[in-house]
Amino acid sequence: MKILIINGPNLNLLGLREPEIYGNQNYASLCALIDDTCKELGVDHEIFQSNHEGAIVDKIQDAYGKFDGIVINPAAYTHTSVAILDALKAVSIPTVEVHISDINSRDEFRKHSYISLTAIKTVMGLGFEGYKVAIEHLYDFLK
Ligand code: CA2
């Protein structure tokens, strides 16, 4: 089993600001948690982060035939990107959406997610731990 973890814009800056929303750990700590979770489950994985919508679309297209599942935090593109939604639908790879914060209890514009229209599950509001929950859910779904 091989899964792809995709992180969208500005997640590479975690820990710099807004610790009350995103915590005070940095992106390297998040990647370490993802690595540990996948190791525990015996799952091969790759982590990809980009600040560019087209690069994320390219990565999803390239995942076809190479990955069994995707965990994605599209960050701000969650609320705007029909292109990422269409790419996920096109490759039809089971996808779990994850958000560090609870997007339903923040700004009105964050309440809508295009990605939820195709995700098998959305995990939110659990901090970094949400990635562990998302990976475990995807693993249970795929095994
Ligand atoms: O809660 C989440 O995981 C989000 O996907 C994070 C996005 C936000 O646009 C979504 O609405 C919810 C933002 C990611 C990065 O934000 C930073 C803000 C300040 C400092 C570092 C990162």
Side-chain angles (χ1 to χ4, degrees), residues 10-11 13 17-18 22 73 75-76 79 99-101 103 110:
N10 299 309
L11 285 164
L13 296 183
R17 285 193 215 329
E18 301 188 274
Y22 302 115
N73 183 347
H79 320 294
H99 299 284
I100 297 165
S101 65
I103 58 174
R110 293 186 204 272

Side-chain angles (χ1 to χ4, degrees), residues 121-139:
K121 185 180 173 69
T122 299
V123 178
M124 64 172 84
L126 300 179
F128 283 15
E129 203 62 19
Y131 281 77
K132 190 173 161 66
V133 173
I135 292 165
E136 286 170 350
H137 183 88
L138 187 60
Y139 173 80

Side-chain angles (χ1 to χ4, degrees), residues 39-50:
K39 199 172 173 188
E40 274 166 32
L41 296 171
V43 173
D44 283 346
H45 73 290
E46 180 183 328
I47 304 172
F48 175 79
Q49 191 276 330
S50 179

Side-chain angles (χ1 to χ4, degrees), residues 53-132:
E53 186 176 22
I56 294 171
V57 169
D58 285 345
K59 190 69 187 177
I60 293 167
Q61 289 188 10
D62 192 50
Y64 185 74
K66 295 184 186 154
F67 290 91
D68 305 301
I70 295 175
V71 169
I72 186 166
N73 183 347
Y77 291 138
T78 305
H79 320 294
T80 63
S81 185
V82 178
I84 292 175
L85 169 65
D86 285 348
L88 290 169
K89 282 180 151 180
V91 297
S92 198
I93 299 172
T95 298
V96 176
E97 175 185 9
V98 62
H99 299 284
I100 297 165
S101 65
D102 178 1
I103 58 174
N104 285 328
S105 65
R106 299 181 61 193
D107 319 88
E108 207 53 36
F109 68 84
R110 293 186 204 272
K111 289 183 181 165
H112 179 260
S113 165
Y114 283 101
I115 310 312
S116 292
L117 299 172
T118 193
I120 58 167
K121 185 180 173 69
T122 299
V123 178
M124 64 172 84
L126 300 179
F128 283 15
E129 203 62 19
Y131 281 77
K132 190 173 161 66

